[in-house]
Amino acid sequence: MSSQVRLMLLPSARCLFDEPVQVKVAGLRSRQVVTMRARSTDDKGVVFSSSATYKADGSGEIHLDRDPSLGGSYVGVEPMGLLWSLKADALHKRFHKISSLNPHVVNFSVHEEDGEGRMLAEVTSERFLIGDGVSRHPIKEGNIRGVMFTPPGKGPFPAVLDLYTFGGGLSEKRSSLLASRGFVVLTVALYGHDDMPKNINKVHLDYFEEAIEFLKKQDKVGGKGVGVISLSKSADLSLSMASYLPGVEATVWINGCCANTAVPLYYKKSQILSALMFDRSKVTPTETGAFISKYVVNDPLAEENKDSLVPIEQATGRFLFVASEDDLNWDSKAYADMMVERLKRHGKDNFETVIYPRAGHYLEPPYGPYCPSSFHGLLGSPVLWGGEPRSHAAAEVHMWKKIQEFFRTHLRCDATQTVAKL
């Protein structure tokens, strides 16, 4: 490495996962062309890497928030491009950050453009999923299996139930980051975690009712109700919670369906919604070996499927519908339109909608690697998730701020909220 070249992450190499950093290089020759690289390994041991070519200014400096990438994993001015363009070294792998206790460790480096690409400088970034003072408590009470995150301070804080996905097990990333932003968050598993069944053939709404009541009883929780945040299959579960259960004041629906999908829904031992199913013959193969499943879901508005439609007009709380137009998992934009039309038809205006034209299915907290394809549990094969990487990354930044604003507006507490910092 060159002792003259310096690679800096400002304001610090240690930050929260959802915080941007300024990447700067100094000590290069005037107009020197170099390759910037990033490399990381996720919780399942999959290696992710990215690279971009930059040209130093007359002073031998490169600022990623000012200077354009000339080629590589992306082009143009992208301050966080080396992070969102991180790509797995194997096909159809999604970035897994399962536990909130392990930071996302990323190695940034600068290399000579010529010859063997000798390294000139490097720095390691630790991007934490949980802020200082945020407490993490595994929950095993009654039927509830999950993890609760509580911000530092006396509170009271607004409470959010996180239904990450329908898949088995838990993912703590979104929950711990929301807690670091001033919310008490409980993320729950539905199956495949701890002593829960490996698979299920129906869902009981009573489980989520129990989770809501547990959350509302926490000492630091303020307000009469809770918020719910969801994604994909869990999004239709969040609609049902808002429609049938008391105490749900604000629901964030991200790229889901307007009907209950895959398995029937029960409440108080009776089936309340049938399952909207899939037509596997409509799966489209691609050259990558992954499939496009956008149109495999049966028509929720067809007469034979009406018993699967969630009666969202019954909800008394607020909705935030977030839909990606380039979602290739299913037609989220069309489902969002159907819900808006249904609510308007019933004289309701308790909703707002955000549409991202070139984003894909997996909208998550920002600055993680974009995922073009990965294994789909229900279909049993890899699928394309859609989205153009740059637009998808920008959508995640906007959405993350929007979600927090939505919850703060509709889950009001009397006391001032504190936000965790590193």
Side-chain angles (χ1 to χ4, degrees):
M1 288 190 295
S2 170
S3 59
Q4 296 179 338
V5 179
R6 301 184 308 281
L7 175 55
M8 297 161 284
L9 303 177
L10 303 174
S12 173
R14 292 165 53 91
C15 65
L16 285 171
F17 185 96
D18 61 355
E19 291 179 339
V21 292
Q22 289 182 290
V23 183
K24 295 185 178 182
V25 184
L28 297 169
R29 299 188 308 273
S30 176
R31 314 298 179 188
Q32 182 176 355
V33 177
V34 296
T35 298
M36 302 279 297
R37 296 178 183 170
R39 184 179 175 89
S40 181
T41 304
D42 76 357
D43 285 353
K44 290 195 172 183
V46 178
V47 175
F48 290 74
S49 59
S50 61
S51 66
T53 302
Y54 285 90
K55 185 176 183 179
D57 63 13
S59 302
E61 294 189 358
I62 296 171
H63 298 192
L64 264 63
D65 59 350
R66 177 197 70 185
D67 303 320
S69 164
L70 306 177
S73 300
Y74 58 93
V75 294
V77 179
E78 290 292 332
M80 299 290 281
L82 286 171
L83 286 176
W84 59 251
S85 68
L86 284 165
K87 185 178 180 181
D89 62 358
L91 276 176
H92 313 315
K93 296 293 183 181
R94 189 161 67 88
F95 176 75
H96 284 275
K97 207 72 201 140
I98 302 167
S99 171
S100 60
L101 301 178
N102 302 321
H104 179 206
V105 179
V106 185
N107 178 261
F108 293 88
S109 55
V110 187
H111 301 257
E112 289 182 339
E113 180 70 7
D114 301 327
E116 297 181 359
R118 181 172 66 96
M119 185 187 294
L120 302 175
E122 67 176 338
V123 65
T124 297
S125 174
E126 289 183 295
R127 304 184 60 79
F128 291 86
L129 277 74
I130 187 167
D132 282 347
V134 174
S135 62
R136 174 188 180 275
H137 297 288
I139 302 300
K140 187 176 181 179
E141 183 164 323
N143 294 308
I144 305 169
R145 300 293 182 268
V147 178
M148 186 169 66
F149 297 90
T150 307
K154 295 181 179 179
F157 302 104
V160 175
L161 182 64
D162 187 349
L163 312 179
Y164 182 70
T165 66
F166 188 64
L170 281 172
S171 177
E172 301 179 12
K173 178 173 66 175
R174 188 168 66 184
S175 301
S176 59
L177 288 171
L178 272 177
S180 301
R181 300 301 174 196
F183 301 90
V184 175
V185 187
L186 173 63
T187 180
V188 293
L190 193 54
Y191 65 95
H193 175 71
D194 199 49
D195 57 353
M196 305 181 88
K198 296 296 183 184
N199 293 287
I200 55 174
N201 55 20
K202 56 185 166 183
V203 174
H204 291 272
L205 209 54
D206 312 70
Y207 175 71
F208 301 107
E209 185 172 44
E210 185 178 347
I212 289 171
E213 291 306 312
F214 174 84
L215 194 49
K216 286 165 61 177
K217 291 176 182 176
Q218 301 307 305
D219 292 340
K220 290 188 178 184
V221 168
K224 297 179 180 179
V226 305
V228 179
I229 184 169
S230 57
L231 169 69
S232 198
K233 159 59 191 175
S234 72
D236 68 62
L237 293 177
S238 74
L239 298 179
S240 294
M241 291 171 60
S243 302
Y244 290 102
L245 302 180
V248 179
E249 293 190 338
T251 301
V252 176
W253 173 101
I254 304 171
N255 287 335
C257 188
C258 57
N260 178 64
T261 60
V263 292
L265 184 66
Y266 283 70
Y267 184 47
K268 306 298 184 185
K269 298 183 179 179
S270 297
Q271 181 175 311
I272 55 174
L273 292 174
S274 60
L276 182 67
M277 301 308 291
F278 312 92
D279 183 350
R280 293 178 181 271
S281 68
K282 295 181 180 178
V283 170
T284 306
T286 70
E287 294 179 355
T288 67
F291 295 87
I292 295 175
S293 59
K294 187 175 182 106
Y295 301 109
V296 302
V297 182
N298 292 331
D299 181 4
L301 300 183
E303 182 64 24
E304 65 270 22
N305 298 321
K306 65 178 183 180
D307 290 339
S308 68
L309 282 169
V310 184
I312 53 176
E313 67 277 2
Q314 296 178 182
T316 58
R318 300 283 306 185
F319 290 110
L320 174 61
F321 302 132
V322 180
S324 298
E325 284 191 349
D326 197 34
D327 184 350
L328 296 183
N329 181 60
W330 48 20
D331 202 352
S332 296
K333 169 61 165 57
Y335 298 144
D337 290 342
M338 291 175 191
M339 290 189 292
V340 167
E341 193 279 329
R342 182 179 184 119
L343 288 172
K344 286 182 176 179
R345 192 170 71 246
H346 285 85
K348 309 277 282 190
D349 61 357
N350 58 335
F351 63 90
E352 50 192 297
T353 305
V354 182
I355 306 298
Y356 298 112
R358 303 184 69 190
H361 182 69
Y362 265 109
L363 287 175
E364 299 195 276
Y367 311 128
Y370 161 74
C371 178
S373 63
S374 66
F375 186 80
H376 192 296
L378 288 176
L379 291 178
S381 61
V383 300
L384 297 182
W385 298 117
E388 184 276 319
R390 181 199 306 262
S391 300
H392 187 92
E396 290 184 330
V397 173
H398 181 273
M399 179 193 72
W400 191 235
K401 293 177 181 177
K402 181 68 177 177
I403 287 170
Q404 294 173 59
E405 292 170 359
F406 176 76
F407 280 145
R408 288 196 179 100
T409 300
H410 301 294
L411 300 174
R412 293 180 180 177
C413 291
D414 296 332
T416 301
Q417 301 159 16
T418 60
V419 176
K421 298 289 184 182
L422 284 171

